[in-house]
Amino acid sequence: QSALTQPPSASGSPGQSVTISCTGTSSDVGGYNYVSWYQHHPGKAPKLLIYEVSKRPSGVPDRFSGSKSGNTASLTVSGLQAEDEADYYCTSYAGSNTWVFGGGTKLTVL
Amino acid sequence: QLQLQESGPGLVKPSETLSLTCTVSGGSIRSSSYYWGWIRQPPGKGLEWIGSIYYSGSTYYNPSLKSQVTISVDTSKNQFSLKLSSVTAADTAVYYCARLHGNHYYFDYWGQGTLVTVSS
């Protein structure tokens, strides 16, 4: 069970869109539609942004969207705002009641 | 509002056992829809799923940590616990407890996290 691969960093200017990728294998991301994304401000509890690839919990702005193609899932943040600056993690169900996380992406709002 | 709170020693010596407890408030740990999990974040690194437990006591562990990990539940106290044996400096991390939705497979409520340092 290897960690999912995310780019270490991403950046964009306010108002722009940024997409963060999350690459796994056919045993996790590609095999199940159970990819979720979390926003993590250091020192705080991670916050659920997206579940089941593209669904948003109530209260999460529609600026956050998710998708998947093959073994790669993606999180897109549209209309970047200063408060979006945080670490973002993907996770996927990996079968047999196990989960695997990505290494995290630090999003900088320029 | 559901809340989770981790508690336990912040410093553990190498080769000893790390023990943490997560207290759930604002909801029952006996809910049939949810599992309860432990996740950690070593300094400067990403999140790592450690394991999960159902209120009945069924446990599921990260294969890479399985030999070290024991997760248990105390429904009378609305708590679940983590024990990590034979720790080394590599086990230094912020440890989070979280609720896992059993049907939709996401972690929706998290504790604030607690830093555990392994050092002599």
Side-chain angles (χ1 to χ4, degrees):
Chain A
Q1 191 183 64
S2 300
L4 305 177
T5 301
Q6 295 182 235
S9 62
S11 63
S13 299
Q16 289 186 332
S17 294
V18 170
T19 297
I20 298 170
S21 62
C22 169
T23 301
T25 69
S26 58
S27 296
D28 37 63
V29 174
Y32 307 95
N33 286 323
Y34 292 121
V35 175
S36 52
W37 288 89
Y38 302 84
Q39 179 188 63
H40 188 204
H41 288 102
K44 293 192 172 183
K47 175 186 176 183
L48 175 68
L49 293 177
I50 297 288
Y51 68 98
E52 290 183 342
V53 176
S54 60
K55 297 179 181 178
R56 271 189 314 277
S58 61
V60 174
D62 60 6
R63 302 187 296 105
F64 295 91
S65 61
S67 62
K68 189 184 87 167
S69 177
N71 295 337
T72 298
S74 299
L75 172 73
T76 297
V77 186
S78 305
L80 270 176
Q81 299 180 3
E83 59 262 36
D84 297 334
E85 186 159 297
D87 297 323
Y88 291 82
Y89 292 91
C90 61
T91 189
S92 174
Y93 180 64
S96 302
N97 282 292
T98 65
W99 277 260
V100 61
F101 278 87
T105 298
K106 182 176 181 59
L107 176 60
T108 300
V109 180
L110 301 170
Chain B
Q1 176 79 349
L2 192 77
Q3 291 187 321
L4 291 82
Q5 180 67 57
E6 305 89 352
S7 60
L11 181 64
V12 180
K13 290 182 168 58
S15 80
E16 295 190 343
T17 296
L18 178 160
S19 296
L20 294 174
T21 295
C22 182
T23 300
V24 179
S25 58
S28 175
I29 205 168
R30 293 179 183 170
S31 172
S32 60
S33 300
Y34 300 99
Y35 292 72
W36 305 89
W38 288 97
I39 297 107
R40 70 180 182 180
Q41 183 176 30
K45 296 187 177 182
L47 298 170
E48 178 180 36
W49 174 73
I50 299 171
S52 303
I53 190 166
Y54 195 56
Y55 77 92
S56 64
S58 297
T59 52
Y60 310 92
Y61 299 137
N62 186 322
S64 66
L65 297 171
K66 191 170 184 176
S67 63
Q68 275 186 281
V69 177
T70 303
I71 297 176
S72 58
V73 63
D74 186 337
T75 56
S76 68
K77 295 182 179 179
N78 229 33
Q79 295 176 334
F80 61 105
S81 298
L82 169 70
K83 290 189 186 299
L84 191 67
S85 63
S86 305
V87 296
T88 69
D91 296 308
T92 294
V94 175
Y95 286 77
Y96 296 94
C97 58
R99 188 178 79 168
L100 170 63
H101 196 295
N103 296 320
H104 299 286
Y105 291 174
Y106 56 77
F107 298 91
D108 56 356
Y109 285 93
W110 296 64
Q112 289 292 318
T114 186
L115 174 63
V116 179
T117 301
V118 178
S119 175
S120 55

mmCIF file with all atom_site columns, all heavy atoms in Angstrom, chain A residues 78-92:
data_model
loop_
_atom_site.group_PDB
_atom_site.id
_atom_site.type_symbol
_atom_site.label_atom_id
_atom_site.label_alt_id
_atom_site.label_comp_id
_atom_site.label_asym_id
_atom_site.label_entity_id
_atom_site.label_seq_id
_atom_site.pdbx_PDB_ins_code
_atom_site.Cartn_x
_atom_site.Cartn_y
_atom_site.Cartn_z
_atom_site.occupancy
_atom_site.B_iso_or_equiv
_atom_site.pdbx_formal_charge
_atom_site.auth_seq_id
_atom_site.auth_comp_id
_atom_site.auth_asym_id
_atom_site.auth_atom_id
_atom_site.pdbx_PDB_model_num
ATOM 1   N N   . SER A 1 78 ? -11.662 26.922 -7.819  1.00 0.00 ? 78 SER A N   1
ATOM 2   C CA  . SER A 1 78 ? -11.930 28.048 -8.719  1.00 0.00 ? 78 SER A CA  1
ATOM 3   C C   . SER A 1 78 ? -12.069 29.326 -7.913  1.00 0.00 ? 78 SER A C   1
ATOM 4   O O   . SER A 1 78 ? -12.408 29.285 -6.723  1.00 0.00 ? 78 SER A O   1
ATOM 5   C CB  . SER A 1 78 ? -13.213 27.791 -9.508  1.00 0.00 ? 78 SER A CB  1
ATOM 6   O OG  . SER A 1 78 ? -13.149 26.565 -10.196 1.00 0.00 ? 78 SER A OG  1
ATOM 7   N N   . GLY A 1 79 ? -11.839 30.448 -8.580  1.00 0.00 ? 79 GLY A N   1
ATOM 8   C CA  . GLY A 1 79 ? -11.996 31.723 -7.889  1.00 0.00 ? 79 GLY A CA  1
ATOM 9   C C   . GLY A 1 79 ? -11.188 31.780 -6.606  1.00 0.00 ? 79 GLY A C   1
ATOM 10  O O   . GLY A 1 79 ? -11.707 32.074 -5.530  1.00 0.00 ? 79 GLY A O   1
ATOM 11  N N   . LEU A 1 80 ? -9.900  31.487 -6.721  1.00 0.00 ? 80 LEU A N   1
ATOM 12  C CA  . LEU A 1 80 ? -9.020  31.408 -5.553  1.00 0.00 ? 80 LEU A CA  1
ATOM 13  C C   . LEU A 1 80 ? -9.190  32.604 -4.621  1.00 0.00 ? 80 LEU A C   1
ATOM 14  O O   . LEU A 1 80 ? -9.259  33.760 -5.069  1.00 0.00 ? 80 LEU A O   1
ATOM 15  C CB  . LEU A 1 80 ? -7.573  31.327 -5.996  1.00 0.00 ? 80 LEU A CB  1
ATOM 16  C CG  . LEU A 1 80 ? -6.964  29.944 -6.233  1.00 0.00 ? 80 LEU A CG  1
ATOM 17  C CD1 . LEU A 1 80 ? -5.544  30.082 -6.764  1.00 0.00 ? 80 LEU A CD1 1
ATOM 18  C CD2 . LEU A 1 80 ? -7.005  29.099 -4.971  1.00 0.00 ? 80 LEU A CD2 1
ATOM 19  N N   . GLN A 1 81 ? -9.226  32.288 -3.323  1.00 0.00 ? 81 GLN A N   1
ATOM 20  C CA  . GLN A 1 81 ? -9.289  33.321 -2.297  1.00 0.00 ? 81 GLN A CA  1
ATOM 21  C C   . GLN A 1 81 ? -8.122  33.113 -1.332  1.00 0.00 ? 81 GLN A C   1
ATOM 22  O O   . GLN A 1 81 ? -7.586  32.011 -1.211  1.00 0.00 ? 81 GLN A O   1
ATOM 23  C CB  . GLN A 1 81 ? -10.620 33.240 -1.560  1.00 0.00 ? 81 GLN A CB  1
ATOM 24  C CG  . GLN A 1 81 ? -11.834 33.455 -2.455  1.00 0.00 ? 81 GLN A CG  1
ATOM 25  C CD  . GLN A 1 81 ? -13.147 33.382 -1.707  1.00 0.00 ? 81 GLN A CD  1
ATOM 26  O OE1 . GLN A 1 81 ? -13.191 33.213 -0.489  1.00 0.00 ? 81 GLN A OE1 1
ATOM 27  N NE2 . GLN A 1 81 ? -14.247 33.497 -2.438  1.00 0.00 ? 81 GLN A NE2 1
ATOM 28  N N   . ALA A 1 82 ? -7.772  34.173 -0.642  1.00 0.00 ? 82 ALA A N   1
ATOM 29  C CA  . ALA A 1 82 ? -6.630  34.116 0.275   1.00 0.00 ? 82 ALA A CA  1
ATOM 30  C C   . ALA A 1 82 ? -6.784  32.990 1.297   1.00 0.00 ? 82 ALA A C   1
ATOM 31  O O   . ALA A 1 82 ? -5.812  32.308 1.635   1.00 0.00 ? 82 ALA A O   1
ATOM 32  C CB  . ALA A 1 82 ? -6.453  35.452 0.975   1.00 0.00 ? 82 ALA A CB  1
ATOM 33  N N   . GLU A 1 83 ? -8.003  32.775 1.749   1.00 0.00 ? 83 GLU A N   1
ATOM 34  C CA  . GLU A 1 83 ? -8.225  31.747 2.779   1.00 0.00 ? 83 GLU A CA  1
ATOM 35  C C   . GLU A 1 83 ? -8.108  30.321 2.254   1.00 0.00 ? 83 GLU A C   1
ATOM 36  O O   . GLU A 1 83 ? -8.141  29.366 3.027   1.00 0.00 ? 83 GLU A O   1
ATOM 37  C CB  . GLU A 1 83 ? -9.585  31.930 3.452   1.00 0.00 ? 83 GLU A CB  1
ATOM 38  C CG  . GLU A 1 83 ? -10.771 31.869 2.515   1.00 0.00 ? 83 GLU A CG  1
ATOM 39  C CD  . GLU A 1 83 ? -11.237 33.259 2.110   1.00 0.00 ? 83 GLU A CD  1
ATOM 40  O OE1 . GLU A 1 83 ? -10.391 34.157 1.932   1.00 0.00 ? 83 GLU A OE1 1
ATOM 41  O OE2 . GLU A 1 83 ? -12.468 33.428 1.964   1.00 0.00 ? 83 GLU A OE2 1
ATOM 42  N N   . ASP A 1 84 ? -7.955  30.186 0.929   1.00 0.00 ? 84 ASP A N   1
ATOM 43  C CA  . ASP A 1 84 ? -7.768  28.848 0.369   1.00 0.00 ? 84 ASP A CA  1
ATOM 44  C C   . ASP A 1 84 ? -6.330  28.366 0.553   1.00 0.00 ? 84 ASP A C   1
ATOM 45  O O   . ASP A 1 84 ? -6.025  27.196 0.299   1.00 0.00 ? 84 ASP A O   1
ATOM 46  C CB  . ASP A 1 84 ? -8.106  28.836 -1.125  1.00 0.00 ? 84 ASP A CB  1
ATOM 47  C CG  . ASP A 1 84 ? -9.553  29.166 -1.401  1.00 0.00 ? 84 ASP A CG  1
ATOM 48  O OD1 . ASP A 1 84 ? -10.406 28.921 -0.517  1.00 0.00 ? 84 ASP A OD1 1
ATOM 49  O OD2 . ASP A 1 84 ? -9.849  29.687 -2.489  1.00 0.00 ? 84 ASP A OD2 1
ATOM 50  N N   . GLU A 1 85 ? -5.456  29.264 0.965   1.00 0.00 ? 85 GLU A N   1
ATOM 51  C CA  . GLU A 1 85 ? -4.059  28.867 1.180   1.00 0.00 ? 85 GLU A CA  1
ATOM 52  C C   . GLU A 1 85 ? -3.999  27.879 2.333   1.00 0.00 ? 85 GLU A C   1
ATOM 53  O O   . GLU A 1 85 ? -4.330  28.204 3.475   1.00 0.00 ? 85 GLU A O   1
ATOM 54  C CB  . GLU A 1 85 ? -3.188  30.088 1.468   1.00 0.00 ? 85 GLU A CB  1
ATOM 55  C CG  . GLU A 1 85 ? -1.705  29.767 1.546   1.00 0.00 ? 85 GLU A CG  1
ATOM 56  C CD  . GLU A 1 85 ? -0.824  30.986 1.334   1.00 0.00 ? 85 GLU A CD  1
ATOM 57  O OE1 . GLU A 1 85 ? -0.868  31.576 0.238   1.00 0.00 ? 85 GLU A OE1 1
ATOM 58  O OE2 . GLU A 1 85 ? -0.101  31.332 2.291   1.00 0.00 ? 85 GLU A OE2 1
ATOM 59  N N   . ALA A 1 86 ? -3.592  26.656 2.018   1.00 0.00 ? 86 ALA A N   1
ATOM 60  C CA  . ALA A 1 86 ? -3.615  25.559 2.984   1.00 0.00 ? 86 ALA A CA  1
ATOM 61  C C   . ALA A 1 86 ? -2.956  24.349 2.340   1.00 0.00 ? 86 ALA A C   1
ATOM 62  O O   . ALA A 1 86 ? -2.537  24.392 1.179   1.00 0.00 ? 86 ALA A O   1
ATOM 63  C CB  . ALA A 1 86 ? -5.048  25.212 3.381   1.00 0.00 ? 86 ALA A CB  1
ATOM 64  N N   . ASP A 1 87 ? -2.878  23.271 3.103   1.00 0.00 ? 87 ASP A N   1
ATOM 65  C CA  . ASP A 1 87 ? -2.436  21.984 2.560   1.00 0.00 ? 87 ASP A CA  1
ATOM 66  C C   . ASP A 1 87 ? -3.675  21.190 2.156   1.00 0.00 ? 87 ASP A C   1
ATOM 67  O O   . ASP A 1 87 ? -4.695  21.217 2.852   1.00 0.00 ? 87 ASP A O   1
ATOM 68  C CB  . ASP A 1 87 ? -1.634  21.201 3.594   1.00 0.00 ? 87 ASP A CB  1
ATOM 69  C CG  . ASP A 1 87 ? -0.358  21.917 3.996   1.00 0.00 ? 87 ASP A CG  1
ATOM 70  O OD1 . ASP A 1 87 ? 0.278   22.542 3.123   1.00 0.00 ? 87 ASP A OD1 1
ATOM 71  O OD2 . ASP A 1 87 ? 0.009   21.875 5.187   1.00 0.00 ? 87 ASP A OD2 1
ATOM 72  N N   . TYR A 1 88 ? -3.576  20.470 1.059   1.00 0.00 ? 88 TYR A N   1
ATOM 73  C CA  . TYR A 1 88 ? -4.694  19.681 0.557   1.00 0.00 ? 88 TYR A CA  1
ATOM 74  C C   . TYR A 1 88 ? -4.261  18.222 0.413   1.00 0.00 ? 88 TYR A C   1
ATOM 75  O O   . TYR A 1 88 ? -3.194  17.931 -0.126  1.00 0.00 ? 88 TYR A O   1
ATOM 76  C CB  . TYR A 1 88 ? -5.183  20.231 -0.786  1.00 0.00 ? 88 TYR A CB  1
ATOM 77  C CG  . TYR A 1 88 ? -5.849  21.573 -0.633  1.00 0.00 ? 88 TYR A CG  1
ATOM 78  C CD1 . TYR A 1 88 ? -5.095  22.738 -0.548  1.00 0.00 ? 88 TYR A CD1 1
ATOM 79  C CD2 . TYR A 1 88 ? -7.235  21.673 -0.537  1.00 0.00 ? 88 TYR A CD2 1
ATOM 80  C CE1 . TYR A 1 88 ? -5.699  23.969 -0.364  1.00 0.00 ? 88 TYR A CE1 1
ATOM 81  C CE2 . TYR A 1 88 ? -7.851  22.899 -0.365  1.00 0.00 ? 88 TYR A CE2 1
ATOM 82  C CZ  . TYR A 1 88 ? -7.079  24.037 -0.273  1.00 0.00 ? 88 TYR A CZ  1
ATOM 83  O OH  . TYR A 1 88 ? -7.684  25.256 -0.089  1.00 0.00 ? 88 TYR A OH  1
ATOM 84  N N   . TYR A 1 89 ? -5.104  17.340 0.908   1.00 0.00 ? 89 TYR A N   1
ATOM 85  C CA  . TYR A 1 89 ? -4.805  15.907 0.874   1.00 0.00 ? 89 TYR A CA  1
ATOM 86  C C   . TYR A 1 89 ? -5.937  15.145 0.200   1.00 0.00 ? 89 TYR A C   1
ATOM 87  O O   . TYR A 1 89 ? -7.117  15.431 0.437   1.00 0.00 ? 89 TYR A O   1
ATOM 88  C CB  . TYR A 1 89 ? -4.644  15.357 2.294   1.00 0.00 ? 89 TYR A CB  1
ATOM 89  C CG  . TYR A 1 89 ? -3.425  15.863 3.007   1.00 0.00 ? 89 TYR A CG  1
ATOM 90  C CD1 . TYR A 1 89 ? -3.476  17.009 3.786   1.00 0.00 ? 89 TYR A CD1 1
ATOM 91  C CD2 . TYR A 1 89 ? -2.206  15.190 2.896   1.00 0.00 ? 89 TYR A CD2 1
ATOM 92  C CE1 . TYR A 1 89 ? -2.344  17.480 4.436   1.00 0.00 ? 89 TYR A CE1 1
ATOM 93  C CE2 . TYR A 1 89 ? -1.077  15.654 3.551   1.00 0.00 ? 89 TYR A CE2 1
ATOM 94  C CZ  . TYR A 1 89 ? -1.158  16.798 4.315   1.00 0.00 ? 89 TYR A CZ  1
ATOM 95  O OH  . TYR A 1 89 ? -0.040  17.261 4.952   1.00 0.00 ? 89 TYR A OH  1
ATOM 96  N N   . CYS A 1 90 ? -5.562  14.173 -0.607  1.00 0.00 ? 90 CYS A N   1
ATOM 97  C CA  . CYS A 1 90 ? -6.551  13.248 -1.135  1.00 0.00 ? 90 CYS A CA  1
ATOM 98  C C   . CYS A 1 90 ? -6.427  11.939 -0.354  1.00 0.00 ? 90 CYS A C   1
ATOM 99  O O   . CYS A 1 90 ? -5.402  11.648 0.264   1.00 0.00 ? 90 CYS A O   1
ATOM 100 C CB  . CYS A 1 90 ? -6.342  12.986 -2.618  1.00 0.00 ? 90 CYS A CB  1
ATOM 101 S SG  . CYS A 1 90 ? -4.743  12.248 -3.053  1.00 0.00 ? 90 CYS A SG  1
ATOM 102 N N   . THR A 1 91 ? -7.493  11.185 -0.365  1.00 0.00 ? 91 THR A N   1
ATOM 103 C CA  . THR A 1 91 ? -7.444  9.840  0.172   1.00 0.00 ? 91 THR A CA  1
ATOM 104 C C   . THR A 1 91 ? -8.365  8.944  -0.641  1.00 0.00 ? 91 THR A C   1
ATOM 105 O O   . THR A 1 91 ? -9.324  9.429  -1.247  1.00 0.00 ? 91 THR A O   1
ATOM 106 C CB  . THR A 1 91 ? -7.812  9.788  1.665   1.00 0.00 ? 91 THR A CB  1
ATOM 107 O OG1 . THR A 1 91 ? -7.538  8.480  2.171   1.00 0.00 ? 91 THR A OG1 1
ATOM 108 C CG2 . THR A 1 91 ? -9.276  10.095 1.889   1.00 0.00 ? 91 THR A CG2 1
ATOM 109 N N   . SER A 1 92 ? -8.043  7.699  -0.679  1.00 0.00 ? 92 SER A N   1
ATOM 110 C CA  . SER A 1 92 ? -8.847  6.745  -1.440  1.00 0.00 ? 92 SER A CA  1
ATOM 111 C C   . SER A 1 92 ? -9.027  5.462  -0.648  1.00 0.00 ? 92 SER A C   1
ATOM 112 O O   . SER A 1 92 ? -8.129  5.028  0.089   1.00 0.00 ? 92 SER A O   1
ATOM 113 C CB  . SER A 1 92 ? -8.177  6.415  -2.775  1.00 0.00 ? 92 SER A CB  1
ATOM 114 O OG  . SER A 1 92 ? -8.876  5.382  -3.462  1.00 0.00 ? 92 SER A OG  1
#
